[in-house]
Amino acid sequence: KRIELQLREQQTYTRSLIESNIDALMTTDPLGVITDVNRQMCAVTGSSPEELVGTPFKNYFTDPLRAEAGVRQVLAEDKVTNYELTIRAKDGRKTVVSYNATTFRDADNHLKGVFAAARDITDQKRLEGQLTLRNTELTEATTFLNNVLESSTEYSIIAKDLTGNILTWNEGARRNYGYSAEEMVGKGN
């Protein structure tokens, strides 16, 4: 009876660890069929544990073939890290996740399946997209301004930083002073 009580306490403790995780957690068998999930996985998919358990892992992603490839990679390499996938919930809501997984084995070292965590990186990906857009806009503006500077051949346009080092030396400056940009940029007073 004491052993049964200890076993129940250990199971309760283990389940509490799984449920308290902020990431969506799930296990699959070696064929990629879901065997267990936590509340976060239910929340992100909009499905109950009963709806998820027993179904193919790949069914909950916008790219099922990529999800399936992620499971195969875990099985081949024993782990996968930062594998990007997009979960599609029942209501159509999409969540970009960083999928991290490892294989797990029984006491005799027989493969039992895959333990996976899916961390929501939707906001991170949105910010990365905004940064990429801003960088593209900045690059285009810089290219435009450089073209304007270089096309001005009658006027010297010289830019210096706060310490007096030359940052820009246009074609007009070369014509007026006889030095090329390569000779002058980076030079000080």
Side-chain angles (χ1 to χ4, degrees), residues 6-23:
Q6 287 176 331
L7 182 59
R8 273 197 313 271
E9 286 177 356
Q10 183 61 43
Q11 288 172 335
T12 300
Y13 174 76
T14 302
R15 192 74 214 172
S16 294
L17 285 176
I18 291 168
E19 292 299 340
S20 66
N21 200 299
I22 62 169
D23 294 332

mmCIF file of all heavy atoms in Angstrom, residues 6-23:
data_model
loop_
_atom_site.group_PDB
_atom_site.id
_atom_site.type_symbol
_atom_site.label_atom_id
_atom_site.label_comp_id
_atom_site.label_asym_id
_atom_site.label_seq_id
_atom_site.Cartn_x
_atom_site.Cartn_y
_atom_site.Cartn_z
ATOM 1 N N GLN A 6 3.269 6.007 -2.876
ATOM 2 C CA GLN A 6 4.456 6.673 -3.429
ATOM 3 C C GLN A 6 4.364 6.792 -4.953
ATOM 4 O O GLN A 6 4.723 7.824 -5.525
ATOM 5 C CB GLN A 6 5.725 5.914 -3.042
ATOM 6 C CG GLN A 6 6.111 6.067 -1.602
ATOM 7 C CD GLN A 6 7.324 5.197 -1.254
ATOM 8 O OE1 GLN A 6 7.541 4.147 -1.859
ATOM 9 N NE2 GLN A 6 8.084 5.639 -0.262
ATOM 10 N N LEU A 7 3.874 5.745 -5.604
ATOM 11 C CA LEU A 7 3.720 5.769 -7.052
ATOM 12 C C LEU A 7 2.713 6.836 -7.474
ATOM 13 O O LEU A 7 2.965 7.602 -8.408
ATOM 14 C CB LEU A 7 3.296 4.387 -7.569
ATOM 15 C CG LEU A 7 3.145 4.259 -9.078
ATOM 16 C CD1 LEU A 7 4.451 4.586 -9.792
ATOM 17 C CD2 LEU A 7 2.666 2.863 -9.447
ATOM 18 N N ARG A 8 1.572 6.910 -6.773
ATOM 19 C CA ARG A 8 0.567 7.938 -7.084
ATOM 20 C C ARG A 8 1.137 9.338 -6.877
ATOM 21 O O ARG A 8 0.907 10.243 -7.676
ATOM 22 C CB ARG A 8 -0.686 7.747 -6.233
ATOM 23 C CG ARG A 8 -1.690 6.792 -6.842
ATOM 24 C CD ARG A 8 -3.069 6.909 -6.218
ATOM 25 N NE ARG A 8 -3.076 6.928 -4.755
ATOM 26 C CZ ARG A 8 -3.141 5.851 -3.982
ATOM 27 N NH1 ARG A 8 -3.213 4.656 -4.526
ATOM 28 N NH2 ARG A 8 -3.144 5.956 -2.671
ATOM 29 N N GLU A 9 1.876 9.527 -5.798
ATOM 30 C CA GLU A 9 2.492 10.832 -5.529
ATOM 31 C C GLU A 9 3.496 11.200 -6.623
ATOM 32 O O GLU A 9 3.544 12.348 -7.066
ATOM 33 C CB GLU A 9 3.163 10.838 -4.158
ATOM 34 C CG GLU A 9 2.178 10.898 -3.017
ATOM 35 C CD GLU A 9 2.846 10.825 -1.649
ATOM 36 O OE1 GLU A 9 4.094 10.658 -1.569
ATOM 37 O OE2 GLU A 9 2.118 10.929 -0.649
ATOM 38 N N GLN A 10 4.276 10.229 -7.065
ATOM 39 C CA GLN A 10 5.247 10.477 -8.131
ATOM 40 C C GLN A 10 4.537 10.816 -9.443
ATOM 41 O O GLN A 10 4.950 11.723 -10.158
ATOM 42 C CB GLN A 10 6.162 9.262 -8.325
ATOM 43 C CG GLN A 10 7.243 9.472 -9.372
ATOM 44 C CD GLN A 10 8.181 10.614 -9.028
ATOM 45 O OE1 GLN A 10 8.610 10.778 -7.894
ATOM 46 N NE2 GLN A 10 8.510 11.439 -10.010
ATOM 47 N N GLN A 11 3.454 10.100 -9.731
ATOM 48 C CA GLN A 11 2.684 10.378 -10.947
ATOM 49 C C GLN A 11 2.052 11.775 -10.886
ATOM 50 O O GLN A 11 2.044 12.503 -11.878
ATOM 51 C CB GLN A 11 1.606 9.305 -11.160
ATOM 52 C CG GLN A 11 2.170 7.979 -11.588
ATOM 53 C CD GLN A 11 1.114 6.877 -11.606
ATOM 54 O OE1 GLN A 11 0.100 6.938 -10.903
ATOM 55 N NE2 GLN A 11 1.378 5.853 -12.405
ATOM 56 N N THR A 12 1.530 12.141 -9.729
ATOM 57 C CA THR A 12 0.933 13.468 -9.552
ATOM 58 C C THR A 12 1.988 14.548 -9.730
ATOM 59 O O THR A 12 1.756 15.568 -10.401
ATOM 60 C CB THR A 12 0.269 13.591 -8.164
ATOM 61 O OG1 THR A 12 -0.751 12.593 -8.051
ATOM 62 C CG2 THR A 12 -0.327 14.970 -7.952
ATOM 63 N N TYR A 13 3.155 14.326 -9.147
ATOM 64 C CA TYR A 13 4.262 15.288 -9.275
ATOM 65 C C TYR A 13 4.677 15.432 -10.736
ATOM 66 O O TYR A 13 4.809 16.544 -11.248
ATOM 67 C CB TYR A 13 5.440 14.822 -8.415
ATOM 68 C CG TYR A 13 6.679 15.672 -8.592
ATOM 69 C CD1 TYR A 13 6.760 16.928 -8.003
ATOM 70 C CD2 TYR A 13 7.759 15.220 -9.339
ATOM 71 C CE1 TYR A 13 7.899 17.718 -8.160
ATOM 72 C CE2 TYR A 13 8.897 15.997 -9.502
ATOM 73 C CZ TYR A 13 8.963 17.252 -8.911
ATOM 74 O OH TYR A 13 10.082 18.022 -9.076
ATOM 75 N N THR A 14 4.857 14.324 -11.424
ATOM 76 C CA THR A 14 5.261 14.348 -12.836
ATOM 77 C C THR A 14 4.217 15.063 -13.680
ATOM 78 O O THR A 14 4.546 15.904 -14.525
ATOM 79 C CB THR A 14 5.486 12.913 -13.351
ATOM 80 O OG1 THR A 14 6.487 12.281 -12.542
ATOM 81 C CG2 THR A 14 5.920 12.905 -14.801
ATOM 82 N N ARG A 15 2.941 14.762 -13.457
ATOM 83 C CA ARG A 15 1.878 15.416 -14.231
ATOM 84 C C ARG A 15 1.850 16.915 -13.947
ATOM 85 O O ARG A 15 1.634 17.721 -14.855
ATOM 86 C CB ARG A 15 0.519 14.781 -13.894
ATOM 87 C CG ARG A 15 -0.567 15.196 -14.840
ATOM 88 C CD ARG A 15 -0.380 14.493 -16.150
ATOM 89 N NE ARG A 15 -0.788 15.324 -17.259
ATOM 90 C CZ ARG A 15 -0.587 15.014 -18.521
ATOM 91 N NH1 ARG A 15 0.011 13.896 -18.842
ATOM 92 N NH2 ARG A 15 -0.969 15.807 -19.478
ATOM 93 N N SER A 16 2.089 17.306 -12.712
ATOM 94 C CA SER A 16 2.122 18.728 -12.350
ATOM 95 C C SER A 16 3.238 19.450 -13.089
ATOM 96 O O SER A 16 3.056 20.589 -13.535
ATOM 97 C CB SER A 16 2.316 18.890 -10.841
ATOM 98 O OG SER A 16 1.206 18.394 -10.151
ATOM 99 N N LEU A 17 4.388 18.806 -13.212
ATOM 100 C CA LEU A 17 5.500 19.405 -13.965
ATOM 101 C C LEU A 17 5.110 19.626 -15.422
ATOM 102 O O LEU A 17 5.375 20.674 -16.002
ATOM 103 C CB LEU A 17 6.745 18.512 -13.904
ATOM 104 C CG LEU A 17 7.519 18.492 -12.609
ATOM 105 C CD1 LEU A 17 8.665 17.483 -12.708
ATOM 106 C CD2 LEU A 17 8.063 19.866 -12.285
ATOM 107 N N ILE A 18 4.477 18.633 -16.008
ATOM 108 C CA ILE A 18 4.070 18.719 -17.410
ATOM 109 C C ILE A 18 3.024 19.813 -17.602
ATOM 110 O O ILE A 18 3.118 20.633 -18.525
ATOM 111 C CB ILE A 18 3.545 17.351 -17.905
ATOM 112 C CG1 ILE A 18 4.705 16.353 -17.981
ATOM 113 C CG2 ILE A 18 2.833 17.475 -19.238
ATOM 114 C CD1 ILE A 18 4.284 14.913 -18.183
ATOM 115 N N GLU A 19 2.042 19.867 -16.731
ATOM 116 C CA GLU A 19 0.950 20.833 -16.873
ATOM 117 C C GLU A 19 1.391 22.263 -16.568
ATOM 118 O O GLU A 19 0.826 23.208 -17.109
ATOM 119 C CB GLU A 19 -0.235 20.450 -15.990
ATOM 120 C CG GLU A 19 -0.939 19.189 -16.430
ATOM 121 C CD GLU A 19 -1.539 19.260 -17.828
ATOM 122 O OE1 GLU A 19 -1.759 20.363 -18.359
ATOM 123 O OE2 GLU A 19 -1.771 18.183 -18.414
ATOM 124 N N SER A 20 2.391 22.439 -15.712
ATOM 125 C CA SER A 20 2.805 23.793 -15.339
ATOM 126 C C SER A 20 3.744 24.430 -16.360
ATOM 127 O O SER A 20 4.045 25.613 -16.258
ATOM 128 C CB SER A 20 3.479 23.778 -13.963
ATOM 129 O OG SER A 20 4.702 23.062 -14.020
ATOM 130 N N ASN A 21 4.159 23.691 -17.359
ATOM 131 C CA ASN A 21 5.071 24.228 -18.359
ATOM 132 C C ASN A 21 4.359 25.272 -19.216
ATOM 133 O O ASN A 21 3.203 25.112 -19.581
ATOM 134 C CB ASN A 21 5.606 23.093 -19.239
ATOM 135 C CG ASN A 21 6.870 23.482 -19.950
ATOM 136 O OD1 ASN A 21 6.895 24.426 -20.731
ATOM 137 N ND2 ASN A 21 7.939 22.758 -19.658
ATOM 138 N N ILE A 22 5.070 26.357 -19.565
ATOM 139 C CA ILE A 22 4.468 27.397 -20.405
ATOM 140 C C ILE A 22 4.434 26.992 -21.873
ATOM 141 O O ILE A 22 3.723 27.600 -22.669
ATOM 142 C CB ILE A 22 5.208 28.744 -20.257
ATOM 143 C CG1 ILE A 22 6.659 28.620 -20.712
ATOM 144 C CG2 ILE A 22 5.103 29.268 -18.847
ATOM 145 C CD1 ILE A 22 7.381 29.951 -20.846
ATOM 146 N N ASP A 23 5.195 25.988 -22.251
ATOM 147 C CA ASP A 23 5.221 25.513 -23.631
ATOM 148 C C ASP A 23 4.169 24.433 -23.837
ATOM 149 O O ASP A 23 3.778 23.736 -22.905
ATOM 150 C CB ASP A 23 6.593 24.916 -23.980
ATOM 151 C CG ASP A 23 7.695 25.947 -23.976
ATOM 152 O OD1 ASP A 23 7.415 27.135 -24.238
ATOM 153 O OD2 ASP A 23 8.850 25.564 -23.717
#
